[in-house]
Amino acid sequence: YISDEKSPASGQNIVKNVNITYTSDIDPEAAMVKIAVTTPANFPEGELTNLSKKSNIVVVVSLSTAARITPLDGAPALGTPADWSKPYKYVVTAADGKQKEWTIRLD
C-alpha cells in the first residue's frame, strides 16, 4: 500500500508491504481450494476497505514441479494482482498428462 510517509530522498510517498496471513482448505474430492485471509494487527485501518474488496490480491499455489496449472474461462494468471471477489477455475495437468479442473476461492 502507499503510505502517507514521505521519502526524505525523493519526497515521494513510501510504498509499504504488509504480509497477510492465510489458511487454505484443500478438498481433493471436490477439486476446491478455499483460501481464508486474516488481517494482521499492523495492517493500517485506512487500507482495510481496499483489502475487503478482494481486488489487487496476488494468489500463488504450490504444485509438483512436473505439474502445470492453466487458467480457464478468464481466470487470472496466478502470481499477478487480480480481483478475487469470485471463484476461478484452473486445469492442473500432472506429469503423466492426466488433467483435473480445480476451483480456487478467496473467502
Side-chain angles (χ1 to χ4, degrees), residues 21-86:
T21 56
Y22 69 92
T23 57
S24 57
D25 178 24
I26 302 169
D27 182 346
E29 293 298 317
M32 170 72 76
V33 178
K34 296 177 190 172
I35 302 170
V37 175
T38 304
T39 307
N42 65 339
F43 201 83
E45 282 192 43
E47 293 295 322
L48 285 175
T49 55
N50 291 332
L51 184 61
S52 67
K53 294 177 193 171
K54 297 183 184 178
S55 61
N56 287 325
I57 302 291
V58 176
V59 172
V60 179
V61 299
S62 296
L63 293 174
S64 162
T65 55
R68 300 289 174 254
I69 188 166
T70 307
L72 295 174
D73 304 325
L78 295 172
T80 60
D83 177 2
W84 283 88
S85 60
K86 64 180 184 179

Side-chain angles (χ1 to χ4, degrees), residues 1-7 12-18:
Y1 69 93
I2 299 173
S3 74
D4 293 332
E5 293 179 53
K6 302 275 185 189
S7 166
Q12 299 285 331
N13 289 60
I14 296 173
V15 175
K16 295 207 173 183
N17 181 32
V18 176

Side-chain angles (χ1 to χ4, degrees), residues 77-98:
L78 295 172
T80 60
D83 177 2
W84 283 88
S85 60
K86 64 180 184 179
Y88 289 109
K89 294 190 179 292
Y90 295 83
V91 65
V92 175
T93 306
D96 63 4
K98 290 182 183 174

